[in-house]
Amino acid sequence: MSQLTENKIISRAEKAKSFFTQGYNCAQSVYMAYADLFGMDVTQAAVIAAPLGGGMGRLREVCGACSASFLIAGLAVPCDDPNDANAKKACYAMVQRLAERFREENGSIICRELLGLGEKRESPAPSPRTPEYYRKRPCAELVYHAALNVGKEIIAVR
């Protein structure tokens, strides 16, 4: 992680946005952009993060881009010992900072609120990725912000 710089964070955020415009979901896009830092290939990262897209399986709950940044926080500030209160605190603190920054920038961390959707349940079938889809949704920019924010947090804990 020592090679991570401000310029490289911007590059990773752009890479995350590019993954999204290629058809990956929001969570996959953010998680894939940082996978190599943790010895993971992009295919493995795509598989792990896939269920979090669309606010967790299109339930429109916590934004998938946010959720992926939280997963990355768990890798950057690992907490694998259930008795290590300091590690839990450090990990949870990073997640809270990420959530708060995302909320400040975008008004919410809840997918349905970010997209201006109602409370109704949606089909699990993903929306077709058409030019209209990308024009109507802020998701590519949300992915960019989540990827940028988590990169800044990683640098801060080095």
Side-chain angles (χ1 to χ4, degrees):
M1 284 193 289
S2 60
Q3 320 91 319
L4 201 56
T5 63
E6 191 74 31
N7 286 341
K8 289 182 180 179
I9 291 170
I10 292 168
S11 176
R12 286 178 186 273
E14 290 169 354
K15 187 176 187 177
K17 188 174 180 179
S18 175
F19 282 138
F20 185 78
T21 60
Q22 291 172 43
Y24 290 100
N25 74 33
C26 47
Q28 289 172 313
S29 300
V30 173
Y31 201 62
M32 290 165 61
Y34 285 93
D36 65 298
L37 287 183
F38 304 99
M40 195 180 313
D41 66 40
V42 292
T43 301
Q44 183 183 24
V47 169
I48 291 168
L52 300 174
M56 297 184 292
R58 292 197 71 199
L59 290 171
R60 304 301 185 199
E61 297 294 337
V62 175
C63 169
C66 265
S67 294
S69 74
F70 303 158
L71 287 176
I72 295 165
L75 295 170
V77 184
C79 176
D80 59 347
D81 179 349
N83 299 310
D84 188 344
N86 289 329
K88 284 181 185 181
K89 180 181 176 183
C91 182
Y92 294 168
M94 182 183 279
V95 168
Q96 289 183 8
R97 288 190 304 271
L98 286 166
E100 187 55 33
R101 188 174 302 125
F102 192 89
R103 189 180 287 113
E104 286 173 3
E105 292 172 346
N106 302 294
S108 180
I109 65 167
I110 304 301
C111 177
R112 82 174 69 78
E113 293 172 5
L114 293 164
L115 297 181
L117 302 173
E119 294 287 327
K120 72 176 183 111
R121 186 175 180 153
E122 291 194 0
S123 159
S127 301
R129 297 291 184 93
T130 63
E132 181 65 14
Y133 172 94
Y134 291 111
R135 199 170 22 260
K136 287 174 35 179
R137 293 182 181 246
C139 301
E141 286 304 313
L142 298 173
V143 161
Y144 180 87
H145 286 284
L148 194 65
N149 291 341
V150 76
K152 290 176 182 178
E153 281 292 327
I154 291 169
I155 285 179
V157 298
R158 286 194 292 170

